[in-house]
Amino acid sequence: MADGDKTLPGSVDEPRIRRFGALSGNTKGIRPQGEQTGDATSPADSAESPVDPADSAELPVEAPPLPRAGDLTSASEDAIVDPSEAILERIDLDSWKWPKYFAFALTRMEEIFPTGGIPRGIGPVRELVTEENDFRPLTIDREKWSGADENWSTVGDVLANTFTDAWLVSRDGVALAEEYAWPMKPARQHMLFSISKSVVSSVIGALTDAGHISPEDLVTTRVPALAKSGYAGATIRDLLDMRSGIKFSEAYLEEGSEIRALFEAVDFAPRTATSANGIKNFLMGLTSEREHGGPFVYRSCETDVLAWICESVIGQPFSVIASEYVWSKIGAAHAAQVCQDRWGGSIADGAISTTLRDLTRFGEMIARGGTTAEGERVLSGKWVDDIFTGGADSAQVFADSPSGRSYPGGMYRSQFWVPSASRDVVIGIGIHGQMLYIDRATQTVGVKLSSDPQPVSLAHQHGTLAMFEAIAEAVPPKPEPGTVPPAASTAKPAAAIRSAVPAEGGPAADAPDSAATVPAASSSAVPSPAASSLAAPSPAASGPAAPRAVAPSPVAPSAAASGTVIPNVAVPAGAAPSIAPRPFPAQPGIY
């Protein structure tokens, strides 16, 4: 069992150490190793040699020199000690999802479970230019996304209250905002949970484009081992849209549910005497409860069968296939990985890990209709367009499901969610706060990786959607070539985003201020008019959207107060939001 008596690096009683959940801009770097591990000067030592704050502000901050390749260092020296070891030695299969370890475990899945690498290949990396913007004061549309917490009104509120590990918003190769909270770092992979499903379906799409399979193929034709299971008679399309007749409950916190049994089979939860031996053995034991091709019912097991189909058709592990057909083509900078059970089966429904930027690159490929910025075709335009438009009855079967009440006008197609009546936005969602947001009209891609102890929260889902939508609307479209001189990428202060809060006794400021500026961007398309049935179109929907902002929330300090362009999302010491589990109310939200 984990040792709970030791103090974790970064806990609130160590003010000098970066705490879990404190966001930092990508260009600001990570604190030196000594500060992260608790090896810095002790409070007693610092008291003996005080430093004048005025003097320290003038001293340049120098990064520690990098060791030269080939220089051997004694294992007894601090430089060779991995600061993660003290935490890793306390994590086991029982404790990895405990709140105090969770954020760390999600960035170290390869240290806890067997994994299969998904190589990036040897192609060029799709570069993302970092441009710092402070979007925290932007107002979110709580009328449209009514499930968001009633106390949240700004982007800053969402970031501060949803256990954010890292987030990024990009448009046309420009990272408009990008921040990380320790222990997440730019080059570190983070568990995607069910965003993994969107990656798996893209592999299925690539195999379809290559002529290896067809969505109309019977599952049992491709995987004969499932002939005696409930999947007999189901098609690949039934699985892509989660419309098989398989009996499966996705109730994560309910003892005896099929999803709990799946977790036990792959060691994500403690095993019992009746646990299946791996994911494939588990799938072979599932039964059906209705005809295939009927209602939409969210089932993680469908994705695992899709990954098995890939393996059966190509004759290689899923990780190798995913690399060859998708990951090596999107310009990824790092390999991805997928957790495996002890029998070698890929846990593809929710155990793929990627870096923040690489998931953004994947989203950009979808936004561009299946091609990369360099023009390489990864998926056919027909496959990608079908994700956005859906089948003839996709919207109706979704409306008839419990999820339809949470996302009116939406649908589910090829393992992507369409969250509203607009057919320009699709999302990938994972439990514990993961989201991939893709707006093909504005070419905006948003990614948020989190460590929410609560598996499902409609408030967090709606809040995150509202956050990305507000940013997509606030960033103006890219001007036509020659109309505006090119300018160097610079930081945009929060004051540049006009507040919508009227002065006391003054008129409401609904119209954009002609003197106000908005964060710079580089979009090639004008946002499409709002088409959601959740709310009436906003006045700005017919043209380039004006920023909607209010005074910064007290939860998230303003840029002026923090002295940085992208302020730390953490509240002052002593008032940090707790990461203890919160009560979990039953709800029909997206899992």
Side-chain angles (χ1 to χ4, degrees), residues 334-383:
H334 301 276
Q337 66 184 21
V338 58
C339 291
Q340 299 175 331
D341 59 40
R342 64 179 76 177
W343 294 271
S346 295
I347 311 168
D349 67 89
I352 292 177
S353 296
T354 74
T355 66
L356 180 73
R357 285 191 157 211
D358 283 346
L359 185 57
T360 303
R361 294 176 173 108
F362 171 79
E364 183 183 60
M365 179 271 292
I366 299 295
R368 296 177 64 88
T371 64
T372 65
E374 290 70 33
E376 180 174 2
R377 175 65 65 181
V378 182
L379 296 171
S380 68
K382 178 182 178 181
W383 180 272

mmCIF file of all heavy atoms in Angstrom, residues 334-383:
data_model
loop_
_atom_site.group_PDB
_atom_site.id
_atom_site.type_symbol
_atom_site.label_atom_id
_atom_site.label_comp_id
_atom_site.label_asym_id
_atom_site.label_seq_id
_atom_site.Cartn_x
_atom_site.Cartn_y
_atom_site.Cartn_z
ATOM 1 N N HIS A 334 6.253 13.983 -30.553
ATOM 2 C CA HIS A 334 6.563 12.915 -29.609
ATOM 3 C C HIS A 334 5.712 11.686 -29.903
ATOM 4 O O HIS A 334 4.641 11.786 -30.514
ATOM 5 C CB HIS A 334 6.297 13.370 -28.168
ATOM 6 C CG HIS A 334 7.095 14.563 -27.759
ATOM 7 N ND1 HIS A 334 8.378 14.484 -27.294
ATOM 8 C CD2 HIS A 334 6.788 15.898 -27.780
ATOM 9 C CE1 HIS A 334 8.842 15.697 -27.026
ATOM 10 N NE2 HIS A 334 7.887 16.569 -27.310
ATOM 11 N N ALA A 335 6.184 10.556 -29.461
ATOM 12 C CA ALA A 335 5.386 9.337 -29.548
ATOM 13 C C ALA A 335 4.195 9.451 -28.611
ATOM 14 O O ALA A 335 4.247 10.150 -27.600
ATOM 15 C CB ALA A 335 6.235 8.119 -29.175
ATOM 16 N N ALA A 336 3.121 8.794 -28.974
ATOM 17 C CA ALA A 336 2.008 8.586 -28.053
ATOM 18 C C ALA A 336 2.183 7.195 -27.454
ATOM 19 O O ALA A 336 3.151 6.482 -27.762
ATOM 20 C CB ALA A 336 0.684 8.703 -28.793
ATOM 21 N N GLN A 337 1.271 6.796 -26.584
ATOM 22 C CA GLN A 337 1.346 5.453 -26.015
ATOM 23 C C GLN A 337 -0.050 5.000 -25.628
ATOM 24 O O GLN A 337 -0.950 5.815 -25.431
ATOM 25 C CB GLN A 337 2.258 5.420 -24.792
ATOM 26 C CG GLN A 337 1.737 6.218 -23.604
ATOM 27 C CD GLN A 337 2.702 6.251 -22.433
ATOM 28 O OE1 GLN A 337 3.887 6.025 -22.586
ATOM 29 N NE2 GLN A 337 2.201 6.552 -21.248
ATOM 30 N N VAL A 338 -0.221 3.684 -25.550
ATOM 31 C CA VAL A 338 -1.494 3.117 -25.132
ATOM 32 C C VAL A 338 -1.219 2.058 -24.079
ATOM 33 O O VAL A 338 -0.325 1.232 -24.231
ATOM 34 C CB VAL A 338 -2.269 2.513 -26.332
ATOM 35 C CG1 VAL A 338 -1.470 1.442 -27.048
ATOM 36 C CG2 VAL A 338 -3.623 1.990 -25.889
ATOM 37 N N CYS A 339 -1.969 2.124 -22.986
ATOM 38 C CA CYS A 339 -1.800 1.125 -21.938
ATOM 39 C C CYS A 339 -2.267 -0.236 -22.434
ATOM 40 O O CYS A 339 -3.193 -0.335 -23.245
ATOM 41 C CB CYS A 339 -2.589 1.517 -20.682
ATOM 42 S SG CYS A 339 -1.937 2.950 -19.816
ATOM 43 N N GLN A 340 -1.634 -1.282 -21.917
ATOM 44 C CA GLN A 340 -1.981 -2.646 -22.284
ATOM 45 C C GLN A 340 -2.241 -3.461 -21.024
ATOM 46 O O GLN A 340 -1.716 -3.153 -19.944
ATOM 47 C CB GLN A 340 -0.855 -3.286 -23.098
ATOM 48 C CG GLN A 340 -0.565 -2.573 -24.403
ATOM 49 C CD GLN A 340 0.628 -3.161 -25.138
ATOM 50 O OE1 GLN A 340 1.545 -3.710 -24.522
ATOM 51 N NE2 GLN A 340 0.633 -3.056 -26.463
ATOM 52 N N ASP A 341 -3.041 -4.508 -21.176
ATOM 53 C CA ASP A 341 -3.213 -5.407 -20.050
ATOM 54 C C ASP A 341 -2.037 -6.381 -19.999
ATOM 55 O O ASP A 341 -1.173 -6.369 -20.890
ATOM 56 C CB ASP A 341 -4.559 -6.142 -20.135
ATOM 57 C CG ASP A 341 -4.720 -6.956 -21.411
ATOM 58 O OD1 ASP A 341 -3.743 -7.594 -21.845
ATOM 59 O OD2 ASP A 341 -5.825 -6.958 -21.985
ATOM 60 N N ARG A 342 -1.995 -7.206 -18.987
ATOM 61 C CA ARG A 342 -0.846 -8.094 -18.813
ATOM 62 C C ARG A 342 -0.771 -9.186 -19.873
ATOM 63 O O ARG A 342 0.238 -9.888 -19.989
ATOM 64 C CB ARG A 342 -0.875 -8.710 -17.413
ATOM 65 C CG ARG A 342 -2.059 -9.610 -17.153
ATOM 66 C CD ARG A 342 -2.023 -10.219 -15.757
ATOM 67 N NE ARG A 342 -2.414 -9.259 -14.732
ATOM 68 C CZ ARG A 342 -2.515 -9.579 -13.436
ATOM 69 N NH1 ARG A 342 -2.249 -10.811 -13.032
ATOM 70 N NH2 ARG A 342 -2.891 -8.667 -12.553
ATOM 71 N N TRP A 343 -1.849 -9.328 -20.669
ATOM 72 C CA TRP A 343 -1.867 -10.301 -21.760
ATOM 73 C C TRP A 343 -1.577 -9.650 -23.109
ATOM 74 O O TRP A 343 -1.659 -10.292 -24.138
ATOM 75 C CB TRP A 343 -3.217 -11.013 -21.792
ATOM 76 C CG TRP A 343 -3.446 -11.858 -20.578
ATOM 77 C CD1 TRP A 343 -3.100 -13.178 -20.403
ATOM 78 C CD2 TRP A 343 -4.046 -11.436 -19.350
ATOM 79 N NE1 TRP A 343 -3.440 -13.593 -19.147
ATOM 80 C CE2 TRP A 343 -4.025 -12.547 -18.469
ATOM 81 C CE3 TRP A 343 -4.590 -10.237 -18.899
ATOM 82 C CZ2 TRP A 343 -4.541 -12.488 -17.185
ATOM 83 C CZ3 TRP A 343 -5.088 -10.167 -17.609
ATOM 84 C CH2 TRP A 343 -5.064 -11.294 -16.769
ATOM 85 N N GLY A 344 -1.249 -8.367 -23.096
ATOM 86 C CA GLY A 344 -0.860 -7.679 -24.324
ATOM 87 C C GLY A 344 -1.976 -6.999 -25.064
ATOM 88 O O GLY A 344 -1.742 -6.408 -26.134
ATOM 89 N N GLY A 345 -3.202 -7.026 -24.557
ATOM 90 C CA GLY A 345 -4.318 -6.350 -25.227
ATOM 91 C C GLY A 345 -4.283 -4.852 -25.008
ATOM 92 O O GLY A 345 -3.984 -4.381 -23.907
ATOM 93 N N SER A 346 -4.598 -4.092 -26.039
ATOM 94 C CA SER A 346 -4.588 -2.629 -25.940
ATOM 95 C C SER A 346 -5.876 -2.123 -25.304
ATOM 96 O O SER A 346 -6.973 -2.501 -25.708
ATOM 97 C CB SER A 346 -4.440 -2.008 -27.334
ATOM 98 O OG SER A 346 -3.189 -2.328 -27.900
ATOM 99 N N ILE A 347 -5.731 -1.254 -24.312
ATOM 100 C CA ILE A 347 -6.886 -0.650 -23.646
ATOM 101 C C ILE A 347 -7.185 0.638 -24.399
ATOM 102 O O ILE A 347 -6.908 1.749 -23.937
ATOM 103 C CB ILE A 347 -6.581 -0.402 -22.157
ATOM 104 C CG1 ILE A 347 -5.987 -1.659 -21.528
ATOM 105 C CG2 ILE A 347 -7.854 0.002 -21.408
ATOM 106 C CD1 ILE A 347 -5.401 -1.440 -20.150
ATOM 107 N N ALA A 348 -7.740 0.477 -25.589
ATOM 108 C CA ALA A 348 -7.853 1.595 -26.527
ATOM 109 C C ALA A 348 -9.020 2.521 -26.231
ATOM 110 O O ALA A 348 -9.068 3.633 -26.748
ATOM 111 C CB ALA A 348 -7.966 1.053 -27.951
ATOM 112 N N ASP A 349 -9.962 2.075 -25.417
ATOM 113 C CA ASP A 349 -11.148 2.907 -25.189
ATOM 114 C C ASP A 349 -10.857 4.154 -24.382
ATOM 115 O O ASP A 349 -11.611 5.121 -24.442
ATOM 116 C CB ASP A 349 -12.230 2.093 -24.478
ATOM 117 C CG ASP A 349 -11.827 1.714 -23.066
ATOM 118 O OD1 ASP A 349 -12.090 2.498 -22.136
ATOM 119 O OD2 ASP A 349 -11.246 0.632 -22.883
ATOM 120 N N GLY A 350 -9.759 4.164 -23.608
ATOM 121 C CA GLY A 350 -9.521 5.342 -22.789
ATOM 122 C C GLY A 350 -8.138 5.442 -22.201
ATOM 123 O O GLY A 350 -7.948 6.173 -21.237
ATOM 124 N N ALA A 351 -7.161 4.732 -22.751
ATOM 125 C CA ALA A 351 -5.840 4.705 -22.121
ATOM 126 C C ALA A 351 -4.725 5.099 -23.072
ATOM 127 O O ALA A 351 -3.599 4.636 -22.947
ATOM 128 C CB ALA A 351 -5.567 3.322 -21.535
ATOM 129 N N ILE A 352 -5.025 5.962 -24.044
ATOM 130 C CA ILE A 352 -3.977 6.545 -24.876
ATOM 131 C C ILE A 352 -3.483 7.819 -24.204
ATOM 132 O O ILE A 352 -4.271 8.585 -23.653
ATOM 133 C CB ILE A 352 -4.496 6.838 -26.291
ATOM 134 C CG1 ILE A 352 -4.799 5.520 -27.027
ATOM 135 C CG2 ILE A 352 -3.497 7.665 -27.095
ATOM 136 C CD1 ILE A 352 -5.383 5.708 -28.411
ATOM 137 N N SER A 353 -2.179 8.031 -24.242
ATOM 138 C CA SER A 353 -1.575 9.241 -23.679
ATOM 139 C C SER A 353 -0.801 9.967 -24.775
ATOM 140 O O SER A 353 -0.115 9.339 -25.580
ATOM 141 C CB SER A 353 -0.626 8.897 -22.522
ATOM 142 O OG SER A 353 -1.314 8.308 -21.443
ATOM 143 N N THR A 354 -0.918 11.284 -24.786
ATOM 144 C CA THR A 354 -0.171 12.116 -25.734
ATOM 145 C C THR A 354 0.274 13.386 -25.036
ATOM 146 O O THR A 354 -0.184 13.698 -23.935
ATOM 147 C CB THR A 354 -1.033 12.523 -26.954
ATOM 148 O OG1 THR A 354 -1.985 13.526 -26.546
ATOM 149 C CG2 THR A 354 -1.781 11.329 -27.543
ATOM 150 N N THR A 355 1.133 14.133 -25.692
ATOM 151 C CA THR A 355 1.465 15.461 -25.190
ATOM 152 C C THR A 355 0.342 16.424 -25.565
ATOM 153 O O THR A 355 -0.479 16.148 -26.448
ATOM 154 C CB THR A 355 2.783 15.987 -25.781
ATOM 155 O OG1 THR A 355 2.626 16.194 -27.197
ATOM 156 C CG2 THR A 355 3.928 15.005 -25.532
ATOM 157 N N LEU A 356 0.316 17.555 -24.901
ATOM 158 C CA LEU A 356 -0.707 18.565 -25.163
ATOM 159 C C LEU A 356 -0.639 19.047 -26.614
ATOM 160 O O LEU A 356 -1.641 19.128 -27.315
ATOM 161 C CB LEU A 356 -0.509 19.748 -24.203
ATOM 162 C CG LEU A 356 -1.492 20.905 -24.326
ATOM 163 C CD1 LEU A 356 -2.855 20.516 -23.783
ATOM 164 C CD2 LEU A 356 -0.957 22.136 -23.570
ATOM 165 N N ARG A 357 0.556 19.357 -27.069
ATOM 166 C CA ARG A 357 0.714 19.896 -28.417
ATOM 167 C C ARG A 357 0.402 18.856 -29.489
ATOM 168 O O ARG A 357 -0.153 19.189 -30.539
ATOM 169 C CB ARG A 357 2.127 20.438 -28.596
ATOM 170 C CG ARG A 357 2.355 21.774 -27.892
ATOM 171 C CD ARG A 357 3.665 22.418 -28.305
ATOM 172 N NE ARG A 357 3.612 23.861 -28.077
ATOM 173 C CZ ARG A 357 4.264 24.756 -28.814
ATOM 174 N NH1 ARG A 357 5.015 24.357 -29.816
ATOM 175 N NH2 ARG A 357 4.159 26.037 -28.547
ATOM 176 N N ASP A 358 0.781 17.614 -29.264
ATOM 177 C CA ASP A 358 0.519 16.598 -30.283
ATOM 178 C C ASP A 358 -0.972 16.324 -30.431
ATOM 179 O O ASP A 358 -1.461 16.080 -31.538
ATOM 180 C CB ASP A 358 1.268 15.305 -29.957
ATOM 181 C CG ASP A 358 2.752 15.398 -30.301
ATOM 182 O OD1 ASP A 358 3.132 16.331 -31.023
ATOM 183 O OD2 ASP A 358 3.530 14.542 -29.833
ATOM 184 N N LEU A 359 -1.719 16.366 -29.326
ATOM 185 C CA LEU A 359 -3.163 16.215 -29.443
ATOM 186 C C LEU A 359 -3.752 17.405 -30.204
ATOM 187 O O LEU A 359 -4.701 17.263 -30.973
ATOM 188 C CB LEU A 359 -3.810 16.099 -28.064
ATOM 189 C CG LEU A 359 -5.319 15.816 -28.065
ATOM 190 C CD1 LEU A 359 -5.653 14.542 -28.836
ATOM 191 C CD2 LEU A 359 -5.862 15.741 -26.643
ATOM 192 N N THR A 360 -3.173 18.579 -30.015
ATOM 193 C CA THR A 360 -3.586 19.749 -30.781
ATOM 194 C C THR A 360 -3.330 19.536 -32.265
ATOM 195 O O THR A 360 -4.163 19.885 -33.113
ATOM 196 C CB THR A 360 -2.838 21.002 -30.289
ATOM 197 O OG1 THR A 360 -3.079 21.183 -28.888
ATOM 198 C CG2 THR A 360 -3.274 22.241 -31.051
ATOM 199 N N ARG A 361 -2.184 18.964 -32.591
ATOM 200 C CA ARG A 361 -1.868 18.682 -34.003
ATOM 201 C C ARG A 361 -2.859 17.683 -34.595
ATOM 202 O O ARG A 361 -3.258 17.802 -35.753
ATOM 203 C CB ARG A 361 -0.441 18.158 -34.109
ATOM 204 C CG ARG A 361 0.628 19.196 -33.740
ATOM 205 C CD ARG A 361 2.028 18.598 -33.774
ATOM 206 N NE ARG A 361 3.048 19.630 -33.573
ATOM 207 C CZ ARG A 361 3.777 19.780 -32.460
ATOM 208 N NH1 ARG A 361 3.589 18.945 -31.443
ATOM 209 N NH2 ARG A 361 4.667 20.741 -32.367
ATOM 210 N N PHE A 362 -3.253 16.697 -33.804
ATOM 211 C CA PHE A 362 -4.267 15.753 -34.263
ATOM 212 C C PHE A 362 -5.581 16.485 -34.542
ATOM 213 O O PHE A 362 -6.219 16.285 -35.575
ATOM 214 C CB PHE A 362 -4.469 14.660 -33.213
ATOM 215 C CG PHE A 362 -5.643 13.758 -33.472
ATOM 216 C CD1 PHE A 362 -5.563 12.735 -34.404
ATOM 217 C CD2 PHE A 362 -6.847 13.940 -32.787
ATOM 218 C CE1 PHE A 362 -6.658 11.910 -34.655
ATOM 219 C CE2 PHE A 362 -7.940 13.124 -33.026
ATOM 220 C CZ PHE A 362 -7.844 12.102 -33.961
ATOM 221 N N GLY A 363 -6.001 17.350 -33.621
ATOM 222 C CA GLY A 363 -7.219 18.115 -33.802
ATOM 223 C C GLY A 363 -7.150 19.027 -35.008
ATOM 224 O O GLY A 363 -8.142 19.211 -35.725
ATOM 225 N N GLU A 364 -5.989 19.596 -35.245
ATOM 226 C CA GLU A 364 -5.818 20.472 -36.404
ATOM 227 C C GLU A 364 -6.023 19.695 -37.704
ATOM 228 O O GLU A 364 -6.620 20.197 -38.655
ATOM 229 C CB GLU A 364 -4.422 21.095 -36.373
ATOM 230 C CG GLU A 364 -4.171 22.088 -37.502
ATOM 231 C CD GLU A 364 -2.752 22.630 -37.477
ATOM 232 O OE1 GLU A 364 -1.809 21.813 -37.592
ATOM 233 O OE2 GLU A 364 -2.583 23.856 -37.356
ATOM 234 N N MET A 365 -5.545 18.448 -37.724
ATOM 235 C CA MET A 365 -5.737 17.616 -38.918
ATOM 236 C C MET A 365 -7.222 17.385 -39.189
ATOM 237 O O MET A 365 -7.679 17.457 -40.342
ATOM 238 C CB MET A 365 -5.002 16.286 -38.736
ATOM 239 C CG MET A 365 -5.119 15.308 -39.883
ATOM 240 S SD MET A 365 -6.565 14.202 -39.745
ATOM 241 C CE MET A 365 -6.108 13.218 -38.315
ATOM 242 N N ILE A 366 -7.993 17.126 -38.135
ATOM 243 C CA ILE A 366 -9.434 16.947 -38.307
ATOM 244 C C ILE A 366 -10.079 18.251 -38.777
ATOM 245 O O ILE A 366 -10.921 18.251 -39.682
ATOM 246 C CB ILE A 366 -10.084 16.475 -36.994
ATOM 247 C CG1 ILE A 366 -9.507 15.116 -36.560
ATOM 248 C CG2 ILE A 366 -11.600 16.404 -37.137
ATOM 249 C CD1 ILE A 366 -9.821 13.973 -37.497
ATOM 250 N N ALA A 367 -9.683 19.373 -38.194
ATOM 251 C CA ALA A 367 -10.257 20.669 -38.571
ATOM 252 C C ALA A 367 -9.988 21.001 -40.028
ATOM 253 O O ALA A 367 -10.791 21.673 -40.681
ATOM 254 C CB ALA A 367 -9.702 21.778 -37.667
ATOM 255 N N ARG A 368 -8.872 20.525 -40.560
ATOM 256 C CA ARG A 368 -8.486 20.807 -41.936
ATOM 257 C C ARG A 368 -9.055 19.781 -42.916
ATOM 258 O O ARG A 368 -8.645 19.732 -44.074
ATOM 259 C CB ARG A 368 -6.968 20.863 -42.061
ATOM 260 C CG ARG A 368 -6.317 21.995 -41.265
ATOM 261 C CD ARG A 368 -4.800 21.936 -41.378
ATOM 262 N NE ARG A 368 -4.370 22.154 -42.752
ATOM 263 C CZ ARG A 368 -4.132 23.349 -43.287
ATOM 264 N NH1 ARG A 368 -4.288 24.443 -42.553
ATOM 265 N NH2 ARG A 368 -3.745 23.472 -44.540
ATOM 266 N N GLY A 369 -9.980 18.958 -42.452
ATOM 267 C CA GLY A 369 -10.618 18.010 -43.351
ATOM 268 C C GLY A 369 -9.817 16.761 -43.627
ATOM 269 O O GLY A 369 -10.050 16.085 -44.637
ATOM 270 N N GLY A 370 -8.870 16.426 -42.723
ATOM 271 C CA GLY A 370 -8.093 15.203 -42.874
ATOM 272 C C GLY A 370 -6.697 15.398 -43.416
ATOM 273 O O GLY A 370 -5.982 14.417 -43.629
ATOM 274 N N THR A 371 -6.299 16.641 -43.642
ATOM 275 C CA THR A 371 -4.949 16.911 -44.137
ATOM 276 C C THR A 371 -4.151 17.698 -43.109
ATOM 277 O O THR A 371 -4.711 18.371 -42.245
ATOM 278 C CB THR A 371 -4.977 17.723 -45.449
ATOM 279 O OG1 THR A 371 -5.552 19.013 -45.187
ATOM 280 C CG2 THR A 371 -5.796 17.018 -46.519
ATOM 281 N N THR A 372 -2.841 17.617 -43.224
ATOM 282 C CA THR A 372 -1.969 18.414 -42.368
ATOM 283 C C THR A 372 -1.771 19.784 -43.004
ATOM 284 O O THR A 372 -2.178 20.029 -44.148
ATOM 285 C CB THR A 372 -0.601 17.740 -42.195
ATOM 286 O OG1 THR A 372 0.065 17.702 -43.472
ATOM 287 C CG2 THR A 372 -0.768 16.309 -41.680
ATOM 288 N N ALA A 373 -1.126 20.683 -42.273
ATOM 289 C CA ALA A 373 -0.861 22.017 -42.802
ATOM 290 C C ALA A 373 0.058 21.954 -44.013
ATOM 291 O O ALA A 373 0.037 22.845 -44.869
ATOM 292 C CB ALA A 373 -0.233 22.892 -41.713
ATOM 293 N N GLU A 374 0.851 20.891 -44.095
ATOM 294 C CA GLU A 374 1.771 20.721 -45.223
ATOM 295 C C GLU A 374 1.098 20.037 -46.404
ATOM 296 O O GLU A 374 1.734 19.788 -47.429
ATOM 297 C CB GLU A 374 3.002 19.912 -44.788
ATOM 298 C CG GLU A 374 3.940 20.652 -43.846
ATOM 299 C CD GLU A 374 3.342 20.849 -42.458
ATOM 300 O OE1 GLU A 374 2.569 19.964 -42.012
ATOM 301 O OE2 GLU A 374 3.644 21.873 -41.824
ATOM 302 N N GLY A 375 -0.189 19.692 -46.245
ATOM 303 C CA GLY A 375 -0.924 19.104 -47.354
ATOM 304 C C GLY A 375 -0.938 17.598 -47.410
ATOM 305 O O GLY A 375 -1.505 17.020 -48.347
ATOM 306 N N GLU A 376 -0.357 16.916 -46.409
ATOM 307 C CA GLU A 376 -0.370 15.454 -46.436
ATOM 308 C C GLU A 376 -1.754 14.951 -46.033
ATOM 309 O O GLU A 376 -2.309 15.356 -45.019
ATOM 310 C CB GLU A 376 0.684 14.874 -45.493
ATOM 311 C CG GLU A 376 0.691 13.348 -45.505
ATOM 312 C CD GLU A 376 1.818 12.730 -44.705
ATOM 313 O OE1 GLU A 376 2.596 13.485 -44.085
ATOM 314 O OE2 GLU A 376 1.929 11.490 -44.702
ATOM 315 N N ARG A 377 -2.274 14.055 -46.815
ATOM 316 C CA ARG A 377 -3.589 13.492 -46.553
ATOM 317 C C ARG A 377 -3.485 12.361 -45.545
ATOM 318 O O ARG A 377 -2.811 11.372 -45.763
ATOM 319 C CB ARG A 377 -4.194 12.980 -47.853
ATOM 320 C CG ARG A 377 -5.515 12.246 -47.735
ATOM 321 C CD ARG A 377 -6.636 13.133 -47.246
ATOM 322 N NE ARG A 377 -6.968 14.214 -48.176
ATOM 323 C CZ ARG A 377 -7.912 15.109 -47.921
ATOM 324 N NH1 ARG A 377 -8.603 15.063 -46.785
ATOM 325 N NH2 ARG A 377 -8.158 16.081 -48.787
ATOM 326 N N VAL A 378 -4.161 12.502 -44.399
ATOM 327 C CA VAL A 378 -4.191 11.477 -43.355
ATOM 328 C C VAL A 378 -5.512 10.715 -43.422
ATOM 329 O O VAL A 378 -5.536 9.485 -43.364
ATOM 330 C CB VAL A 378 -4.003 12.102 -41.956
ATOM 331 C CG1 VAL A 378 -3.998 11.015 -40.882
ATOM 332 C CG2 VAL A 378 -2.713 12.918 -41.906
ATOM 333 N N LEU A 379 -6.604 11.446 -43.524
ATOM 334 C CA LEU A 379 -7.940 10.872 -43.671
ATOM 335 C C LEU A 379 -8.619 11.516 -44.872
ATOM 336 O O LEU A 379 -8.354 12.680 -45.195
ATOM 337 C CB LEU A 379 -8.780 11.118 -42.412
ATOM 338 C CG LEU A 379 -8.313 10.457 -41.114
ATOM 339 C CD1 LEU A 379 -9.134 10.980 -39.934
ATOM 340 C CD2 LEU A 379 -8.416 8.949 -41.204
ATOM 341 N N SER A 380 -9.504 10.776 -45.499
ATOM 342 C CA SER A 380 -10.210 11.340 -46.644
ATOM 343 C C SER A 380 -11.163 12.436 -46.191
ATOM 344 O O SER A 380 -11.687 12.407 -45.071
ATOM 345 C CB SER A 380 -10.987 10.239 -47.375
ATOM 346 O OG SER A 380 -12.052 9.759 -46.569
ATOM 347 N N GLY A 381 -11.393 13.399 -47.085
ATOM 348 C CA GLY A 381 -12.347 14.452 -46.759
ATOM 349 C C GLY A 381 -13.734 13.893 -46.528
ATOM 350 O O GLY A 381 -14.489 14.409 -45.700
ATOM 351 N N LYS A 382 -14.074 12.838 -47.237
ATOM 352 C CA LYS A 382 -15.385 12.211 -47.070
ATOM 353 C C LYS A 382 -15.555 11.668 -45.665
ATOM 354 O O LYS A 382 -16.608 11.840 -45.041
ATOM 355 C CB LYS A 382 -15.539 11.090 -48.094
ATOM 356 C CG LYS A 382 -16.843 10.322 -47.978
ATOM 357 C CD LYS A 382 -16.917 9.194 -49.003
ATOM 358 C CE LYS A 382 -18.213 8.387 -48.865
ATOM 359 N NZ LYS A 382 -18.273 7.270 -49.837
ATOM 360 N N TRP A 383 -14.509 11.002 -45.127
ATOM 361 C CA TRP A 383 -14.595 10.436 -43.778
ATOM 362 C C TRP A 383 -14.759 11.545 -42.745
ATOM 363 O O TRP A 383 -15.601 11.461 -41.843
ATOM 364 C CB TRP A 383 -13.360 9.596 -43.472
ATOM 365 C CG TRP A 383 -13.392 8.988 -42.101
ATOM 366 C CD1 TRP A 383 -12.944 9.536 -40.924
ATOM 367 C CD2 TRP A 383 -13.957 7.720 -41.747
ATOM 368 N NE1 TRP A 383 -13.164 8.701 -39.870
ATOM 369 C CE2 TRP A 383 -13.791 7.564 -40.347
ATOM 370 C CE3 TRP A 383 -14.573 6.699 -42.461
ATOM 371 C CZ2 TRP A 383 -14.221 6.434 -39.652
ATOM 372 C CZ3 TRP A 383 -14.998 5.566 -41.773
ATOM 373 C CH2 TRP A 383 -14.834 5.452 -40.391
#
